Amino acid sequence: MSKETIKRILSSIIIIPIALFFIIKGSIFFIFFLSVCFLIASYEWYNMSKNKQYNILGHIFLIISFYFAYLWRHYLSLDPEL
């Protein structure tokens, strides 16, 4: 296996339990997790689509996607804190 593949597998082993913790824990932890993921995705999208006409559409898509992920978790949750 290449070094890149090994790095991806190791990072997945670390990130998956952290993501599951934030998703299950909910509340402010989930909002923090979504915010960090949104910032990382926005940064990556900006770097991939610099000076392209669809740059703004990608950011709008990200905003809508992360907002619906929040709503989905919020309305399907049985957590009385939300």
Side-chain angles (χ1 to χ4, degrees), residues 25-57:
K25 190 67 175 167
S27 188
I28 195 74
F29 294 108
F30 184 67
I31 294 170
F32 172 74
F33 176 70
L34 271 183
S35 300
V36 170
C37 289
F38 174 74
L39 291 174
I40 292 170
S42 293
Y43 176 75
E44 289 293 325
W45 178 253
Y46 175 75
N47 284 334
M48 287 189 315
S49 64
K50 283 186 203 174
N51 303 324
K52 305 262 179 19
Q53 66 188 55
Y54 52 82
N55 186 6
I56 299 297
L57 290 175

Side-chain angles (χ1 to χ4, degrees), residues 4-30:
E4 187 68 26
T5 306
I6 293 172
K7 281 197 281 187
R8 288 179 185 264
I9 291 171
L10 289 176
S11 65
S12 296
I13 290 172
I14 294 169
I15 291 173
I16 288 173
I18 293 170
L20 288 174
F21 168 77
F22 285 125
I23 291 168
I24 293 169
K25 190 67 175 167
S27 188
I28 195 74
F29 294 108
F30 184 67

Side-chain angles (χ1 to χ4, degrees), residues 58-71:
H59 285 288
I60 292 170
F61 175 76
L62 285 173
I63 290 168
I64 292 169
S65 298
F66 279 89
Y67 179 67
F68 278 115
Y70 166 76
L71 287 179

